[in-house]
Amino acid sequence: MVTQMKILFYLWFVGALAVSALGSPSVVERPSITIEGAKELVAKAEAKARTLNRTVCIAVVDNGGNLLAFERMEGAFLAGIDLSQGKARSALRFEEPTAKIEATVHDGRYALVTAGAVEMQGGIPLLRGSEVIGAIGVSGADTASDVPIAESAVTDFAP
């Protein structure tokens, strides 16, 4: 009887180790941008905005849409605070630039406005391979500036 108990305990112990080594079958691990990476993107976007003589708000969110880094440049309008974060979250949720979301609405897909997205250009998802690891949103200038500012930040970004 004692031997059988030892065998059962051994089997349970080995099984527990195997599950912990493989991870829980009910939990998915997803890569995400780091705070350091988010700060780097904000700095690059701010530098581009300065070269264009624009004042903007810049937001970077992680893979869950949580704000990691934010900058409101001196003089940027207040609505840009919410808009930049909304653009970043929309780019994350739809896994595509918000310029495409805006174009979809303009092409007649008006029901999209009920999805809680910010349908304005300036949000770009951050990719590592084919996985979305976060997003950046820029707001405060105009479409002709918000997009290039966001794009300049993600150019050469290597997560």
Side-chain angles (χ1 to χ4, degrees), residues 47 85 97 101 111 116 133 141 153 155:
Q85 293 176 45
I101 300 168
I133 62 167
T155 300

Side-chain angles (χ1 to χ4, degrees), residues 120-139:
M120 299 170 71
Q121 297 184 35
I124 300 175
L126 305 171
L127 302 174
R128 186 173 83 179
S130 63
E131 288 188 275
V132 178
I133 62 167
I136 186 170
V138 175
S139 186

Side-chain angles (χ1 to χ4, degrees), residues 12 16 32 62 70 83 90 96 102 112 132 146 154:
W12 172 83
S32 184
D62 65 13
F70 175 80
L83 289 173
S90 296
E96 60 189 17
E102 181 179 354
L112 187 58
V132 178
D146 287 352
V154 300

Side-chain angles (χ1 to χ4, degrees), residues 43-97:
K44 288 173 72 176
E46 184 177 354
K48 178 66 173 183
R50 290 190 188 288
T51 66
L52 298 174
N53 293 318
R54 301 292 191 188
T55 56
V56 297
C57 294
I58 307 154
V60 178
V61 297
D62 65 13
N63 65 1
N66 305 298
L67 186 63
L68 284 180
F70 175 80
E71 175 74 27
R72 177 177 173 243
M73 295 175 68
E74 187 72 35
F77 76 118
L78 293 176
I81 296 169
D82 293 330
L83 289 173
S84 63
Q85 293 176 45
K87 289 177 181 186
R89 288 188 181 106
S90 296
L92 174 82
R93 290 177 53 212
F94 286 89
E95 299 184 355
E96 60 189 17

Side-chain angles (χ1 to χ4, degrees), residues 2 11 16 33 40-41 49 56 65 79 87 93 99 104 125-126 136 149 159:
V2 173
L11 291 174
I33 185 171
E40 178 184 324
L41 290 175
V56 297
K87 289 177 181 186
R93 290 177 53 212
T104 301
L126 305 171
I136 186 170
I149 292 169

